[in-house]
């Protein structure tokens, strides 16, 4: 007798938001007192931020309930590290920290793992140099390792060519720590967690949208107060469970997920693909909106995703590509050139892996085209250590009849420790 698949409603939670945990740790370090971060993400990337802050003289303790307690050193009170600051795999750590270090009267060098050392850094070092920071590239041009000498800064009006929350945040943090007004214009709105957090701490921030893009202006303050924050569940982690639930046909409610509109572009695309996800019990948690996500079974059809949509789903392209592989018809994603400089070249990794397991896919200079199929998928997946590539193909590998060998499953721990267990729970029952 073949057991019937269990299709009863499942419940899940996801770890704390990665972007918000990084920012909470960094901002807490800049306050003049004791802050508490509840339900933080504890994973490879945020451990990197904790490690570098500790090396800069910031005591961080894990309390019994798992919250982090941070003793701030003030806006310009970090101390010179004794060794190079290792940011691991985390671009957010490296770039936001450079913004903070630009205003500290000290010398520090920053490095990271092979992936991080292959990612562009001038996008952030250029505006910071304009503000007055001295930055020396110690290896290849535009790459880590770099040495930064911080100090007195100048105001800056900066027009960014790409929509990057990391670059925007680095400039805002440099203005905050350096006591200088800064204005950043981004061509499209990127995630606004830094703005929400700083505004909540009393930092004057104004925003306006115009023909040139979205402009954010920060006015300096003398200090920021310590705070107590609860981190929402990470939408980008939830996206993998949403995809798994959809493809397995298992109804799923994910509790307490951040639904900041600068992050939830995937929901619009899923609605277009014929599989709307319901956003239940929306509520405010500090500066961020939170809700439960309810996924019901649905047949997916292909769609087209264009460049203006990318910033709000930039980390969801891998999971979208695997959903496209199971949708009816063709899916085209364009305007996503930024994906080439993520933890891996995600465009080429996605296309190569999809092809390796039997999906028809084509690489575009700034995106990809995927033909959906119902065939069993089999083969080897190379992740290049990229957590989101590992998890995206993990979802496909969980489908009945699909057998994928993923070379580095452990990479998921960069942002979602427990991912494989959660996925298994969805496959096998409550
Ligand atoms: C992040 C911003 C995005 C995103 C990354 C996290 C952040 O990068 O892809 O995973 O926390 O600011 P970019 O700023 O390079 O777009």
């Amino acid at each position: 007798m073949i057991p019937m698949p269990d299709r009863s409603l499942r419940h899940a939670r996801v770890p704390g938001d990665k972007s918000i945990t990084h920012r909470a740790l960094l901002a807490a370090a800049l306050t003049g007192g004791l802050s508490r971060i509840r339900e933080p993400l504890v994973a490879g990337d945020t451990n990197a931020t904790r490690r570098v802050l500790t090396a800069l003289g910031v005591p961080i303790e894990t309390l019994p309930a798992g919250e982090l307690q941070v003793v701030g050193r003030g806006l310009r009170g970090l101390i010179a590290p004794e060794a190079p600051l290792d940011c691991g795999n985390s671009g957010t750590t490296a770039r936001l920290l450079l913004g903070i270090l630009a205003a500290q009267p000290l010398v520090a060098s920053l490095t990271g793992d092979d992936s991080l050392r292959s990612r562009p850094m001038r996008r952030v070092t250029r505006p910071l140099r304009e503000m007055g920071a001295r930055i020396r590239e110690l290896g290849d041009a535009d790459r880590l390792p770099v040495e930064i000498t911080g100090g007195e800064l100048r105001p800056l009006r900066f027009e960014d060519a790409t929509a990057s929350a990391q670059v925007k945040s680095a400039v805002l943090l440099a203005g905050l720590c350096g006591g200088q007004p800064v204005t950043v214009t981004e061509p499209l709105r990127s995630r606004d967690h830094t703005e929400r957090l700083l505004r909540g701490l009393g930092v004057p921030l104004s925003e306006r949208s115009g023909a040139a893009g979205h402009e954010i202006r920060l006015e300096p303050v003398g200090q920021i107060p310590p705070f107590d924050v609860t981190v929402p569940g990470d939408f980008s982690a939830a996206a993998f469970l949403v995809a798994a639930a959809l493809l397995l046909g298992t109804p799923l409610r994910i509790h307490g997920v951040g639904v900041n509109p600068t992050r939830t572009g995937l929901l619009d695309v899923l609605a277009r693909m014929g599989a709307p996800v319901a956003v239940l019990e929306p509520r405010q948690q500090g500066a961020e909106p939170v809700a439960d996500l309810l996924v019901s079974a649905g047949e997916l059809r292909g769609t087209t995703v264009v460049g203006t949509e990318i910033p709000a789903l930039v980390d969801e392209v891998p999971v979208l590509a695997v959903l496209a592989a199971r949708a009816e018809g063709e899916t085209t994603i364009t305007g996503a050139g930024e994906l080439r400089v993520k933890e891996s070249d995600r465009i080429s990794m996605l296309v190569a892996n999809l092809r390796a397991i039997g999906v028809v896919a084509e690489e575009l200079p700034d995106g990809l085209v995927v033909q959906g199929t119902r065939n069993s998928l089999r083969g080897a997946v190379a992740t290049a250590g990229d957590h989101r590539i590992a998890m995206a193909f993990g979802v496909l590998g969980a489908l009945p009849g699909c057998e994928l060998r993923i070379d580095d499953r452990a990479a998921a721990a960069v942002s979602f420790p427990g991912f494989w267990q959660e996925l298994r729970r969805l496959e096998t029952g409550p």
Side-chain angles (χ1 to χ4, degrees), residues 18-19 22-23 92 95-96 119 123 163-167 169 191 193 314-315 338 342-343 346 388:
K18 178 157 82 70
S19 292
H22 282 302
R23 285 158 173 79
T92 310
R95 293 184 177 133
L96 271 59
R119 298 178 65 186
R123 50 179 57 197
S164 164
Q166 293 177 353
V167 175
S169 300
R191 65 192 64 191
H193 305 302
V314 65
D315 291 337
E338 271 294 296
K342 294 294 178 191
E343 287 82 329
R346 287 186 175 155
R388 298 202 207 279

Side-chain angles (χ1 to χ4, degrees), residues 30-353:
L30 302 175
T31 69
L34 207 64
S35 292
R36 216 164 256 203
I37 305 170
R38 299 173 197 270
E39 296 172 31
L41 172 68
V42 179
D45 262 20
T46 48
N47 286 342
T49 292
R50 177 177 180 162
R51 188 171 62 233
V52 298
L53 285 174
T54 305
L56 289 160
V58 180
I60 303 176
E61 206 184 315
T62 303
L63 300 181
E67 64 264 43
L68 300 175
Q69 182 168 281
V70 183
V71 186
R73 299 192 65 98
L75 290 176
R76 281 186 289 282
L78 298 180
I79 59 167
E82 283 166 10
L85 300 167
D86 182 1
C87 302
N89 191 245
S90 176
T92 310
T93 307
R95 293 184 177 133
L96 271 59
L97 191 67
L98 280 167
I100 291 170
L101 291 174
Q104 311 294 318
L106 55 83
V107 184
S109 56
L110 267 73
T111 189
D113 69 7
D114 290 350
S115 154
L116 186 54
R117 280 188 283 103
S118 71
R119 298 178 65 186
M121 288 295 148
R122 283 192 183 160
R123 50 179 57 197
V124 37
T125 56
R126 191 178 300 129
L128 296 177
R129 278 178 172 140
E130 256 184 72
M131 291 183 77
R134 280 177 291 148
I135 300 171
R136 236 167 24 101
E137 291 170 345
L138 303 176
D140 293 345
D142 196 16
R143 301 285 182 266
L144 293 181
V146 299
E147 181 195 82
I148 180 164
T149 307
E152 294 276 310
L153 297 181
R154 299 183 280 274
L156 182 71
R157 181 171 277 279
F158 176 59
E159 280 188 28
D160 201 354
T162 48
S164 164
Q166 293 177 353
V167 175
K168 170 178 65 178
S169 300
V171 172
L172 293 176
L173 289 168
L176 172 73
C177 292
Q180 298 293 346
V182 287
T183 306
V184 182
T185 309
E186 45 183 5
L188 296 164
R189 281 193 87 159
S190 65
R191 65 192 64 191
D192 66 354
H193 305 302
T194 304
E195 295 91 306
R196 285 172 184 258
L197 181 61
L198 294 184
R199 196 176 280 129
L201 299 178
V203 179
L205 268 160
S206 54
E207 300 187 50
R208 63 184 174 140
S209 286
H214 189 71
E215 183 185 288
I216 304 108
R217 181 168 174 82
L218 174 143
E219 302 292 342
V221 288
Q223 58 183 28
I224 54 171
F227 57 89
D228 188 325
V229 72
T230 302
V231 180
D234 196 323
F235 182 87
S236 297
F240 294 104
L241 301 186
V242 167
L246 279 172
L247 297 182
L248 288 163
T250 305
L252 173 69
R253 183 166 182 152
I254 313 175
H255 295 257
V257 183
V259 287
N260 180 318
T262 61
R263 294 286 299 280
T264 53
L266 178 71
L267 297 183
D268 301 325
V269 177
L270 285 177
R272 236 159 48 216
M273 293 178 87
V277 171
V279 177
L280 304 181
E281 294 180 38
R283 52 209 185 258
Q284 198 67 18
Q285 191 169 294
E288 294 280 346
V290 167
D292 292 359
L293 300 180
L294 181 65
V295 188
S296 325
E299 287 294 302
L300 294 163
R301 52 177 182 269
T303 189
T304 299
V305 179
V306 296
T308 49
E309 294 184 284
I310 297 297
L313 52 74
V314 65
D315 291 337
E316 280 61 74
V317 173
V319 78
L320 197 50
V322 305
L323 284 167
R326 277 333 222 184
E328 194 194 317
E330 182 174 283
T331 295
T332 304
I333 301 172
T334 58
E338 271 294 296
L339 265 80
R340 294 205 181 271
V341 290
K342 294 294 178 191
E343 287 82 329
S344 67
D345 176 343
R346 287 186 175 155
I347 294 178
S348 87
M349 294 296 292
L350 284 168
V351 171
N353 282 314

